[in-house]
Amino acid sequence: MHLTSTVMATSLITIFLLLTFPVLTSFSPRPLPPDWALTQVKTAVKWAFFISILPLCLFLNEGAEAIITSWTWMNTHTFDVSISLKFDIYSIIFTPVALYVTWSILEFASWYMHADPNMNRFFKYLLIFLIAMIILVTANNMFQLFIGWEGVGIMSFLLIGWWYGRADANTAALQAVIYNRVGDIGLIFAMAWIATSLNSWEMQQMFTLSKDFDLTYPLIGLIIAATGKSAQFGLHPWLPSAMEGPTPVSALLHSSTMVVTGIFLLIRMSPMLENNHTALTICLCLGALTTLFTATCALTQNDIKKIVAFSTSSQLGLMMVTIGLNQPQLAFLHICTHAFFKAMLFLCSGSIIHSLNDEQDIRKMGGMHHLTPFTSSCLTIGSLALTGTPFLAGFFSKDAIIEALNTSYLNAWALFLPLLATSFTAVYSLRVIFFVSMGHPRFNPLSPINENNPTVINPIKRLAWGSIIAGLLITSNITPLKTPVMSMPLLLKTAALAVTIIGLLTALELASLTNKQYKPNPKLSPHHFSNMLGFFPMVVHRLAPKLNLVLGQTIASQTVDQTWLEKVGPKATATLNLPLITTTNNIQQGMIKTYLSLFFFTFSLALLLLLY
Amino acid sequence: MRTSEYVKQQQPVNMAGVGFRRWAQALSKGKGSGISALLSGCRAASGMSKDSLPGPYPKTPEERAAAAKKYNMRVEDYEPYPDNGEGFGDYPKLPERSQQERDPWYQWDHPDLRRNWGEPMHWDFDMYIRNRVDTSPSPVPWSTMCKQLFGFIGFMLFMFYVGEKFPAYQPVAPKQYPFNDLYLEKGGDPEKQAEEVKHYEI
């Protein structure tokens, strides 16, 4: 057998075994050692990362891709479902990225959660999540993808509600599950359509057979699934609420890995998506709306984690825009680079929060650059990468996306919104740095603040390296599948940079107003719109559940009985019969006139019938 | 003495045996014979009696007072649902306020539900728990919120429609080939003279 494919298959199956082994050991009846989390889980993920470099190198060197089909799950005459792992460009690059980020986050979590009595269980949940994520990413058929899809959704629920004694955390976990479920309706619809029309859930067969079909309906189902999972506008409120979970959860699930699964699904389905203009336009407009709306909401938030969460949502909207431009590889590039700097932003926030004794409000931070210089420097690096500073990681993906946006034939409004959102990105990033790192501390110096713990510094350092060089590494080694437009006017080429600088200057100007005691009459309604998240959660979370629950309660306890017993059943017979009975009774009251008129009426009727 | 009691508590107790003993005691103390002894002996002491269940709509002031006492409310506060055939009976009509609005710092008996034992439950209590509908006052009035949100969505949809009508693109022109615009390559007749085609002048 060929050496490359053997090595590839072996290393990939080894990764799976490495990751599942700690989960299986945790099922034994003996209690786990207290350092199980650090020694077994983190080491397993670290080794899995190093082993996953091997397929990556084989792919970069030889272009080796593999599809491993093992163990048929169920098969009928015409429909097979088997465990089928696909290692193509997307899964080969994403797996090392996800494992690298997870390794750093697990190391950080061993510091962040060290006071938690159930830390082993926390790590077990994170590991199960990682396994589900890799199952999703390497899936070659829709069934396995669905298994991974549901797996990441359930683990997200368990991890957001980690501190289940807190009602807000429970509500947030419920929100995540319910919004994801609404998205799952779309996915299951698409799967059903594909199963009935294309007769297979294997991606190869789906893509070859789907050329002759009108794919609008299943594609809209897939877009709804991506809307739910990747928090696009309409199904987005769960993502900021998910910040109720511990910071490692936010860093892993809700920035780098889980929320990109919706976008990843659309990237996987891009052969089906590329010829359908309607679906592409929907992606474009939805992504543009999401990116601007969430960037607007991020402008006035005061919780550092919420700002980063809205930033994630805005970047997810940008990825959706890229898919709408028919550039799945660019979207994938943005997924990979975004994972690094977003996870680092979350880890820096977590480090700052923990140092300030669990203070999350940026209005009560300040001057952290003197107290935690390394963390605040990495916060700055991450923010620069996020805004697309030239030659950091985010630049390669973000600038390419904006260039593709500027040179495409597309909806003019969908062009304008992401540009505006890019400038907002600069504004809220500066806001975070201004309130957190710059200035003087606005908190009491109660607890000693230091960052001399390698478990905190090393993960952030690793992710900082990733934020700086990942973009360069990936773009220099992967040949693009679509030719990028190289010739464009200077204004379009520098549009992203110009818009970012405008945003930065505006934010600096606004920040300098804070110490001038400038007292304008504030126009509060835009501030309220932004601060209350566009009123979307307020309106939707009060209206929809209330209508549904009240309707359900009224139907179940009153309407059913009232209908069947009063309006349709026994009482109805009485109400229907009563007029008939009274009429009949009134006629037969013994009044001669009535009898006489009736006699003549029937007599004339009989005469008429006889004659005609 | 005390040490031996402490030691006795430390010994593991077979809860199954304890339960069986209690059941046998209850059985022996029950009235009646056969099955009824089994049933009456095992009846739990807690649970609602028939008097504490909701009843018909109270018409007289004495019925109202009795109903208020049953629901553990003051007579002044007690207000039943209107008697229009919807089947509420004498169940009290409590203000439509969710549990989220109650004082988070008070020492409730059930802190997660923000409710005390014996307090009358709202008809839609399961809807008003903290995980579901919240009626807390909002800084912005409800009508303003709805208008702004749906106005924003409507504006965006309208602008997307306009954007589809007037798309943005880089200026393009048909490609200009030199000489006779690829007349022969495009399948032109070699005998005939090609006509001059000029898309634009450079």
Side-chain angles (χ1 to χ4, degrees):
Chain A
M1 214 171 115
H2 194 227
L3 189 61
T4 311
S5 50
T6 320
V7 168
M8 205 133 161
T10 317
S11 48
L12 294 160
I13 305 226
T14 312
I15 292 174
F16 267 111
L17 288 173
L18 259 181
L19 293 176
T20 31
F21 177 69
V23 180
L24 295 173
T25 52
S26 71
F27 290 152
S28 75
R30 272 184 297 136
L32 294 168
D35 60 345
W36 173 83
L38 201 54
T39 51
Q40 288 234 352
V41 179
K42 191 202 79 170
T43 324
V45 175
K46 184 161 88 168
W47 281 108
F49 164 68
F50 285 123
I51 292 177
S52 72
I53 301 280
L54 197 50
L56 180 65
C57 293
L58 283 172
F59 172 75
L60 291 175
N61 190 30
E62 300 177 13
E65 301 185 352
I67 297 178
I68 304 169
T69 309
S70 66
W71 198 56
T72 310
W73 194 300
M74 42 188 158
N75 52 351
T76 63
H77 287 295
T78 47
F79 199 94
D80 284 349
V81 174
S82 43
I83 294 185
S84 177
L85 305 170
K86 180 181 173 119
F87 295 100
D88 66 340
I89 174 179
Y90 298 129
S91 44
I92 284 184
I93 298 180
F94 187 76
T95 310
V97 167
L99 287 171
Y100 184 81
V101 170
T102 312
W103 168 30
S104 306
I105 291 174
L106 287 179
E107 203 178 327
F108 177 83
S110 65
W111 171 78
Y112 194 81
M113 309 290 288
H114 74 277
D116 197 305
N118 293 320
M119 191 164 96
N120 285 337
R121 185 169 6 129
F122 185 74
F123 273 65
K124 185 168 79 170
Y125 284 177
L126 285 177
L127 196 57
I128 296 176
F129 164 79
L130 184 64
I131 295 168
M133 187 70 205
I134 296 188
I135 289 176
L136 195 158
V137 163
T138 55
N140 194 33
N141 58 18
M142 297 295 289
F143 190 73
Q144 195 172 324
L145 190 130
F146 189 66
I147 293 175
W149 186 273
E150 293 295 297
V152 299
I154 292 297
M155 296 325 292
S156 167
F157 166 77
L158 289 173
L159 283 166
I160 295 175
W162 177 253
W163 291 308
Y164 51 80
R166 195 178 139 82
D168 289 332
N170 287 336
T171 315
L174 269 178
Q175 263 184 38
V177 150
I178 292 174
Y179 275 117
N180 278 339
R181 246 308 166 249
V182 174
D184 289 351
I185 296 173
L187 182 62
I188 292 176
F189 172 75
M191 282 167 72
W193 190 98
I194 290 170
T196 48
S197 303
L198 304 178
N199 202 35
S200 172
W201 273 338
E202 296 286 321
M203 306 233 170
Q204 283 74 35
Q205 187 167 337
M206 272 162 55
F207 295 149
T208 37
L209 285 179
S210 61
K211 298 272 182 267
D212 305 320
F213 285 87
D214 179 18
L215 294 165
T216 316
Y217 288 129
L219 288 174
I220 291 183
L222 291 173
I223 293 173
I224 293 176
T227 312
K229 206 48 139 210
S230 290
Q232 302 297 308
F233 181 78
L235 298 176
H236 66 279
W238 69 270
L239 188 54
S241 304
M243 298 299 118
E244 292 284 335
T247 308
V249 169
S250 310
L252 183 57
L253 272 74
H254 305 121
S255 63
S256 331
T257 36
M258 182 198 143
V259 290
V260 299
T261 47
I263 307 288
F264 195 85
L265 173 74
L266 290 178
I267 292 176
R268 267 274 188 262
M269 301 289 145
S270 53
M272 283 166 61
L273 202 55
E274 60 193 4
N275 292 323
N276 193 314
H277 182 71
T278 319
L280 287 174
T281 316
I282 294 177
C283 281
L284 185 68
C285 298
L286 184 62
L289 180 60
T290 307
T291 184
L292 181 69
F293 180 77
T294 48
T296 317
C297 294
L299 291 176
T300 51
Q301 297 300 310
N302 293 316
D303 182 352
I304 188 174
K305 284 179 71 175
K306 283 237 167 31
I307 300 180
V308 187
F310 277 113
S311 164
T312 307
S313 207
S314 187
Q315 297 303 307
L316 289 169
L318 194 64
M319 292 173 206
M320 187 65 118
V321 165
T322 323
I323 290 181
L325 290 174
N326 209 1
Q327 302 270 5
Q329 210 180 16
L330 269 185
F332 179 73
L333 178 64
H334 198 51
I335 287 179
C336 294
T337 52
H338 174 261
F340 286 107
F341 54 75
K342 199 41 71 69
M344 184 169 75
L345 282 175
F346 267 115
L347 292 197
C348 293
S349 324
S351 164
I352 293 172
I353 290 170
H354 229 43
S355 313
L356 297 180
N357 223 7
D358 296 333
E359 178 58 66
Q360 293 188 224
D361 196 329
I362 56 173
R363 296 172 293 190
K364 292 196 190 152
M365 301 178 187
M368 293 306 286
H369 193 60
H370 305 287
L371 300 163
T372 55
F374 182 78
T375 307
S376 76
S377 313
C378 287
L379 194 70
T380 315
I381 293 175
S383 300
L384 286 174
L386 172 63
T387 54
T389 310
F391 311 119
L392 291 182
F395 169 76
F396 290 94
S397 48
K398 213 169 170 193
D399 206 66
I401 294 173
I402 306 257
E403 277 180 24
L405 202 59
N406 284 334
T407 53
S408 297
Y409 179 91
L410 80 166
N411 195 322
W413 189 245
L415 166 62
F416 173 66
L417 294 183
L419 288 174
L420 196 56
T422 311
S423 65
F424 284 178
T425 308
V427 174
Y428 62 69
S429 298
L430 179 81
R431 188 163 179 265
V432 169
I433 296 176
F434 178 76
F435 276 96
V436 171
S437 318
M438 291 159 64
H440 298 289
R442 288 181 292 277
F443 50 89
N444 293 323
L446 288 173
S447 52
I449 299 175
N450 54 50
E451 41 183 23
N452 52 14
N453 196 336
T455 356
V456 179
I457 296 299
N458 286 340
I460 299 183
K461 208 188 291 188
R462 258 180 265 130
L463 288 176
W465 276 116
S467 305
I468 296 171
I469 59 175
L472 183 62
L473 275 183
I474 299 178
T475 41
S476 2
N477 288 318
I478 308 293
T479 30
L481 291 170
K482 290 189 203 280
T483 334
V485 175
M486 285 300 175
S487 55
M488 63 190 91
L490 186 64
L491 181 63
L492 295 189
K493 186 82 182 171
T494 53
L497 197 58
V499 148
T500 307
I501 291 178
I502 290 174
L504 192 66
L505 291 174
T506 318
L508 280 170
E509 176 65 34
L510 288 170
S512 73
L513 290 174
T514 55
N515 55 4
K516 283 192 178 62
Q517 295 198 324
Y518 170 70
K519 248 176 62 166
N521 273 336
K523 258 189 94 70
L524 279 178
S525 60
H527 180 266
H528 280 149
F529 185 81
S530 170
N531 199 11
M532 293 180 71
L533 318 182
F535 309 121
F536 188 98
M538 280 289 244
V539 171
V540 172
H541 293 170
R542 294 186 179 197
L543 206 53
K546 179 156 189 179
L547 288 174
N548 283 323
L549 287 169
V550 163
L551 196 66
Q553 172 81 314
T554 325
I555 288 178
S557 58
Q558 291 158 346
T559 318
V560 169
D561 285 336
Q562 238 182 347
T563 314
W564 290 113
L565 294 175
E566 293 189 16
K567 309 284 182 216
V568 177
K571 270 198 185 171
T573 29
T575 34
L576 281 174
N577 280 327
L578 217 52
L580 299 170
I581 294 170
T582 33
T583 323
T584 323
N585 196 17
N586 285 340
I587 291 174
Q588 298 169 355
Q589 285 298 326
M591 310 248 298
I592 300 292
K593 274 195 200 161
T594 325
Y595 289 160
L596 212 56
S597 48
L598 268 176
F599 169 72
F600 276 122
F601 177 67
T602 37
F603 183 68
S604 48
L605 202 64
L607 215 58
L608 281 166
L609 280 170
L610 268 171
L611 287 175
Y612 292 101
Chain B
M1 261 329 128
R2 209 182 286 168
T3 357
S4 68
E5 279 171 14
Y6 179 78
V7 164
K8 206 201 286 185
Q9 275 170 11
Q10 289 293 78
Q11 282 170 4
V13 173
N14 183 11
M15 288 313 295
V18 168
F20 181 75
R21 244 184 301 141
R22 285 186 189 151
W23 176 80
Q25 281 168 355
L27 190 60
S28 56
K29 285 195 199 126
K31 310 187 195 95
S33 59
I35 294 291
S36 43
L38 209 68
L39 295 173
S40 63
C42 292
R43 195 161 159 212
S46 63
M48 308 202 80
S49 60
K50 240 172 106 175
D51 300 325
S52 54
L53 288 173
Y57 183 80
K59 297 194 181 57
T60 65
E62 293 85 22
E63 284 181 1
R64 286 181 82 98
K69 187 168 160 57
K70 180 173 68 173
Y71 290 113
N72 210 2
M73 292 172 76
R74 287 172 29 192
V75 184
E76 302 85 33
D77 296 333
Y78 174 73
E79 185 206 331
Y81 281 93
D83 189 23
N84 53 7
E86 283 182 343
F88 286 104
D90 63 356
Y91 202 88
K93 186 172 176 201
L94 297 162
E96 305 280 330
R97 294 269 165 262
S98 79
Q99 301 302 97
Q100 190 72 19
E101 284 197 44
R102 297 198 179 190
D103 187 1
W105 295 108
Y106 176 76
Q107 300 289 329
W108 301 96
D109 291 342
H110 303 289
D112 50 334
L113 296 174
R114 291 187 184 166
R115 178 180 174 265
N116 285 323
W117 185 87
E119 203 183 311
M121 265 188 178
H122 194 280
W123 182 266
D124 289 317
F125 181 76
D126 56 342
M127 182 171 80
Y128 286 130
I129 58 172
R130 289 167 67 200
N131 282 336
R132 294 184 179 173
V133 176
D134 184 7
T135 57
S136 317
S138 51
V140 180
W142 179 262
S143 56
T144 318
M145 286 201 294
C146 285
K147 267 186 272 184
Q148 290 205 5
L149 175 63
F150 295 121
F152 174 78
I153 295 175
F155 172 71
M156 283 293 160
L157 288 172
F158 173 71
M159 290 308 291
F160 277 126
Y161 171 73
V162 169
E164 275 295 304
K165 280 271 175 290
F166 301 106
Y169 53 94
Q170 286 299 293
V172 289
K175 195 158 173 75
Q176 173 88 22
Y177 293 99
F179 309 116
N180 54 8
D181 196 36
L182 293 183
Y183 181 72
L184 286 173
E185 283 83 354
K186 281 193 198 155
D189 199 348
E191 306 297 318
K192 278 211 239 150
Q193 182 68 19
E195 46 194 59
E196 276 286 315
V197 178
K198 223 179 182 82
H199 296 297
Y200 46 81
E201 282 212 352
I202 300 174

